[in-house]
């Protein structure tokens, strides 16, 4: 491809310098290809005589990624290679050189976006944590675009990062929950935390006397850290977290396919361990994970459970996962099936009963108890109440009884449905569901339909539905005539065909009687 483009430009009387500038390649490369024939260029690119490079085994993957996502950086390519091949050991400079060569040979241009920041003084260990929120648009496994939201944390000294994602906008309670998870991740908290002026935590700068939201102010009072709120139009004061948000969007999230939020957060944590906190930071020239081992000693310890998360306060909340469980102290506890709802906040209130170490779960702060479990001392366990595993109101037998109740002749209806159950044992629910829809759509006709089906021995929900449709199409006629039509024998059922003896047929055919 590069050879053809060079030749085309050369035929159009472009000079070597102009070709170099137009194709963004070096002039020696232009000279080299101009001296080659097409076959020589093809042999050079496909079977080069040069020494085999370390990443040649992964060339097809790298080329495919760049062709589909030409904006990818070499750092992203590096991370994707490590994700697919965990045992691969390769330096960042090697990847950069190889990706640059691939772009040059196959003419895959990358658009550069540069954002400038003013340098800020280095913070001492344990002094400052910066926090910010972000959102991205991702393609899911069905190739549909969805929006995801995340909160990011970074320690100002070690640049050690943490993030959490969710599929809906953050609330103040979400922010508090993520702060607690971040403190557990870091093993402590810093002296102060830096925020942008986000509506989740702040109301106004108030000339330096910060006004925070009531819920977040209560949290700050409990955890006793200082809040540093950035001035408006002053992104440099939190440039570290701005870069982290950009890094997460541009390296982890960019072009990655979304499956579900649990899988996404799991991959995010793996990315932090593999890339976000492992790769050498370009400013410090050190790995954040290694520097963090020192900074961790300067963090202020935090309790595993907030004091306001007690039986004397109703403000403990947990998010309900889509598998209808909540997390508490490294375990999952079930809630009733259907508690999780799409496009909902999906929060429940929990209460710890200390006398018998029981976990009480409520849908509302002072509402009815929807779940109760004994707290497990183990970790990574699923504690499940068997009454939460299925909704008993949707049992097949219960559905059948509800269907029977709609008919005038309930004995006949019960016998009819029993016969369907015997003929279609694996599809009872499907059959009953079809009949239920007919009952909802044509309540005035169901007794007539039942009579016709039992008379004609049509023990199938599809027949039941088709007869109802036909009766409805005859709605302009008097219902008595329609019922008579379906309950009386056919008009010509009394007519009998005449018969002849066998002798009559044999004589016609020339045979003998």
């Amino acid at each position: 491809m590069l050879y053809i483009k060079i030749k085309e430009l050369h035929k159009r009387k472009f000079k070597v310098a102009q070709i170099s500038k137009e194709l963004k390649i070096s002039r020696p490369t232009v000279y080299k290809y101009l001296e080659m024939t097409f076959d020589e260029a093809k042999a050079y690119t496909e079977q080069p005589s040069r020494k085999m490079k370390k990443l040649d085994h992964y060339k097809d993957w790298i080329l495919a990624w760049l062709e589909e996502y030409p904006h990818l950086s070499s750092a992203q390519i590096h991370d994707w290679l490590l994700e697919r091949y965990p045992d691969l050991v390769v330096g960042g400079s090697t990847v950069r050189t190889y990706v640059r060569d691939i772009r040059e040979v196959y003419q895959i241009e990358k658009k550069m976006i540069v954002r400038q920041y003013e340098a800020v003084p280095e913070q001492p260990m344990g002094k400052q944590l910066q926090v910010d929120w972000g959102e991205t648009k991702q393609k899911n496994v069905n190739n549909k675009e969805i929006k995801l939201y995340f909160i990011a944390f970074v320690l100002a000294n070690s640049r050690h990062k943490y993030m959490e994602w969710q599929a809906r906008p953050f609330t103040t309670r979400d922010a508090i929950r993520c702060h607690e998870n971040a403190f557990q991740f870091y093993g402590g908290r810093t002296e102060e935390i830096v925020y942008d002026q986000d509506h989740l935590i702040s109301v106004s700068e108030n000339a330096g006397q910060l006004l925070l939201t009531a819920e977040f102010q209560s949290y700050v009072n409990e955890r006793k850290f200082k809040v540093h709120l950035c001035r408006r139009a002053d992104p440099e004061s939190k440039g570290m977290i701005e870069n982290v948000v950009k890094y997460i969007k541009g390296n982890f999230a960019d072009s990655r396919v979304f499956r579900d939020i649990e899988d996404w957060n799991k991959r995010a944590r793996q990315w932090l361990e593999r890339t976000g906190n492992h790769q050498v930071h370009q400013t410090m020239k050190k790995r954040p994970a290694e520097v963090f081992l020192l900074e961790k000693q300067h963090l202020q310890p935090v309790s595993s459970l907030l004091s306001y998360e007690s039986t004397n306060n109703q403000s403990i909340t947990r998010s309900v996962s889509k598998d209808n469980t909540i997390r508490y102290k490294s375990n999952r506890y079930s809630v009733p099936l259907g508690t999780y709802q799409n496009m909902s906040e999906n929060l429940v209130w929990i209460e710890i009963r200390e006398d018998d170490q029981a976990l009480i779960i409520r849908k509302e702060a002072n509402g009815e108890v929807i779940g109760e479990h004994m707290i497990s001392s183990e970790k990574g366990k699923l504690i499940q109440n068997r009454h939460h595993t299925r909704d008993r109101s949707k049992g097949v037998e219960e559905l059948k009884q509800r269907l029977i109740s709609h008919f005038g002749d309930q004995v006949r209806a019960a016998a009819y449905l029993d016969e369907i159950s015997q003929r279609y044992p694996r599809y009872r629910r499907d059959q009953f569901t079809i009949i239920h829809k007919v009952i909802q759509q044509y309540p005035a006709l169901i007794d007539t339909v039942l009579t016709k089906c039992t008379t004609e021995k049509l023990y199938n929900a599809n027949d039941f539905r088709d007869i109802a449709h036909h009766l409805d199409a005859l709605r302009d006629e008097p219902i008595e005539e329609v019922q008579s039509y379906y309950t009386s024998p056919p008009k010509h059922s009394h007519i009998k065909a005449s018969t002849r003896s066998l002798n009559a047929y044999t004589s016609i055919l020339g045979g003998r009687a």
Side-chain angles (χ1 to χ4, degrees):
M1 186 181 298
L2 180 60
Y3 172 83
I4 292 173
K5 289 188 176 183
I6 291 174
K7 287 292 187 179
E8 286 178 352
L9 294 176
H10 188 254
K11 287 180 180 179
R12 292 165 54 188
K13 307 302 182 183
F14 274 60
K15 296 181 180 179
V16 171
Q18 293 174 319
I19 296 175
S20 173
K21 184 177 180 180
E22 176 70 18
L23 301 181
K24 296 179 177 59
I25 58 177
S26 64
R27 278 181 284 185
T29 301
V30 177
Y31 282 117
K32 177 177 64 179
Y33 278 99
L34 285 175
E35 294 172 356
M36 291 181 181
T37 64
F38 178 79
D39 291 336
E40 290 173 341
K42 184 177 180 182
Y44 176 78
T45 56
E46 294 182 352
Q47 295 179 346
S49 57
R50 58 183 173 80
K51 182 180 178 182
M52 188 76 172
K53 291 187 176 180
K54 187 172 186 177
L55 293 176
D56 280 346
H57 293 294
Y58 313 98
K59 178 181 177 181
D60 291 342
W61 279 109
I62 296 173
L63 181 58
W65 291 335
L66 289 175
E67 286 180 338
E68 187 168 358
Y69 311 109
H71 62 279
L72 290 179
S73 66
S74 60
Q76 274 184 277
I77 296 293
H78 192 184
D79 178 65
W80 286 18
L81 285 171
L82 293 178
E83 183 177 34
R84 186 169 291 275
Y85 304 102
D87 297 329
L88 176 63
V89 179
V90 63
S93 60
T94 302
V95 178
R96 283 194 297 274
T97 302
Y98 195 83
V99 170
R100 185 182 65 240
D101 291 344
I102 291 289
R103 287 187 181 278
E104 181 177 301
V105 172
Y106 293 92
Q107 284 295 280
I108 303 174
E109 184 179 355
K110 177 186 178 184
K111 294 182 179 180
M112 301 297 295
I113 300 176
V114 179
R115 185 175 179 181
Q116 300 294 334
Y117 291 96
E118 181 181 347
V120 294
E122 290 292 328
Q123 296 291 331
M125 290 188 174
K127 171 69 176 178
Q128 188 182 94
L129 178 70
Q130 296 190 6
V131 183
D132 202 0
W133 288 262
E135 60 184 59
T136 65
K137 291 182 178 179
Q138 307 293 146
K139 289 290 185 67
N140 62 15
V141 293
N142 298 320
N143 203 34
K144 293 183 179 180
E145 190 173 75
I146 63 170
K147 185 175 285 189
L148 297 179
Y149 306 84
F150 68 93
I151 184 173
F153 301 78
V154 62
L155 290 171
N157 182 274
S158 64
R159 272 61 165 195
H160 204 253
K161 307 163 198 65
Y162 177 74
M163 63 173 159
E164 279 194 43
W165 293 77
Q166 57 188 46
R168 55 177 172 77
F170 276 81
T171 64
T172 302
R173 291 189 181 276
D174 291 328
I176 293 175
R177 170 176 52 80
C178 292
H179 276 66
E180 288 299 295
N181 292 340
F183 293 159
Q184 296 301 317
F185 175 78
Y186 287 126
R189 67 162 179 83
T190 55
E191 180 181 331
E192 71 174 11
I193 303 180
V194 177
Y195 303 96
D196 202 353
Q197 295 194 36
D198 193 281
H199 70 280
L200 297 179
I201 63 170
S202 66
V203 178
S204 170
E205 289 179 272
N206 195 30
Q209 293 182 325
L210 305 180
L211 296 179
L212 305 180
T213 60
E215 194 169 14
F216 196 74
Q217 183 64 65
S218 175
Y219 177 66
V220 172
N221 293 341
E222 183 66 29
R223 279 305 189 199
K224 296 180 174 58
F225 57 81
K226 296 179 182 178
V227 173
H228 178 93
L229 208 60
C230 293
R231 301 287 300 271
R232 294 190 183 278
D234 182 27
E236 290 81 5
S237 59
K238 60 181 183 67
M240 294 178 191
I241 191 62
E242 292 274 356
N243 280 329
V244 169
V245 170
K246 175 184 174 183
Y247 188 27
I248 291 172
K249 288 182 177 182
N251 190 294
F252 169 72
D254 187 17
S255 306
R256 196 179 292 270
V257 177
F258 175 83
R259 295 186 181 88
D260 57 65
I261 197 63
E262 287 79 10
D263 172 74
W264 189 263
N265 272 309
K266 177 182 177 181
R267 295 163 75 187
R269 292 189 294 270
Q270 292 172 344
W271 177 86
L272 286 172
E273 182 178 355
R274 179 183 64 245
T275 299
N277 291 324
H278 179 74
Q279 297 295 334
V280 175
H281 194 278
Q282 294 303 307
T283 301
M284 299 188 304
K285 304 301 180 185
K286 298 177 182 177
R287 301 183 191 275
E290 295 175 354
V291 182
F292 171 68
L293 296 178
L294 297 176
E295 185 171 17
K296 185 176 182 179
Q297 302 174 25
H298 296 266
L299 298 177
Q300 300 182 26
V302 294
S303 60
S304 59
L305 185 65
L306 288 175
S307 61
Y308 75 78
E309 291 189 349
S310 65
T311 56
N312 298 324
N313 193 298
Q314 301 288 340
S315 61
I316 313 178
T317 61
R318 288 293 185 272
S319 292
V320 181
S321 300
K322 71 176 185 178
D323 61 354
N324 289 286
T325 62
I326 64 170
R327 292 187 178 274
Y328 178 72
K329 288 189 174 181
S330 302
N331 289 313
R332 291 183 298 152
Y333 294 84
S334 68
V335 294
L337 196 68
T339 303
Y340 177 88
Q341 298 289 330
N342 288 329
M343 307 303 293
S344 175
E345 194 173 23
N346 289 312
L347 290 180
V348 294
W349 275 254
I350 66 172
E351 174 185 330
I352 313 303
R353 199 163 61 204
E354 296 183 356
D355 54 348
D356 55 0
Q357 284 295 297
L359 177 67
I360 311 298
I361 308 172
R362 305 175 191 270
K363 187 65 177 175
E364 302 294 339
N366 297 308
E368 181 183 355
V369 175
I370 63 172
E372 183 172 348
H373 300 277
M374 295 303 297
I375 297 176
S376 173
S377 59
E378 300 181 83
K379 292 186 177 181
K381 297 294 183 180
L382 171 63
I383 294 85
Q384 194 171 42
N385 186 325
R386 66 183 182 87
H387 296 292
H388 295 167
T389 56
R390 64 186 180 93
D391 187 350
R392 296 179 181 274
S393 67
K394 296 183 179 179
V396 176
E397 287 302 317
E398 195 275 340
L399 176 59
K400 185 178 77 171
Q401 294 303 319
R402 283 195 285 122
L403 295 181
I404 293 172
S405 67
H406 290 280
F407 290 89
D409 189 345
Q410 296 189 2
V411 174
R412 173 179 280 187
Y416 181 72
L417 296 179
D418 286 340
E419 183 66 27
I420 288 179
S421 296
Q422 293 178 12
R423 296 191 181 198
Y424 306 99
R426 292 180 55 198
Y427 300 96
R428 289 182 301 162
R429 183 183 295 276
D430 299 324
Q431 292 276 318
F432 291 169
T433 300
I434 293 173
I435 294 176
H436 182 247
K437 291 180 180 179
V438 174
I439 291 173
Q440 290 179 318
Q441 191 172 1
Y442 309 115
L445 301 178
I446 59 174
D447 287 315
T448 305
V449 176
L450 177 63
T451 300
K452 179 63 178 177
C453 286
T454 52
T455 302
E456 300 294 332
K457 294 183 171 37
L458 301 175
Y459 296 103
N460 186 295
N462 293 317
D463 293 332
F464 191 94
R465 178 194 58 205
D466 292 343
I467 293 175
H469 286 338
H470 186 66
L471 279 173
D472 182 64
L474 300 175
R475 66 173 65 192
D476 292 335
E477 299 184 19
I479 188 65
E480 293 80 6
E481 294 184 16
V482 177
Q483 290 176 336
S484 174
Y485 176 80
Y486 276 94
T487 56
S488 61
K491 295 180 180 179
H492 305 289
S493 60
H494 64 283
I495 300 176
K496 294 184 178 180
S498 60
T499 60
R500 297 181 181 181
S501 66
L502 183 60
N503 294 336
Y505 293 101
T506 56
S507 62
I508 294 172
L509 296 174
R512 288 183 298 178

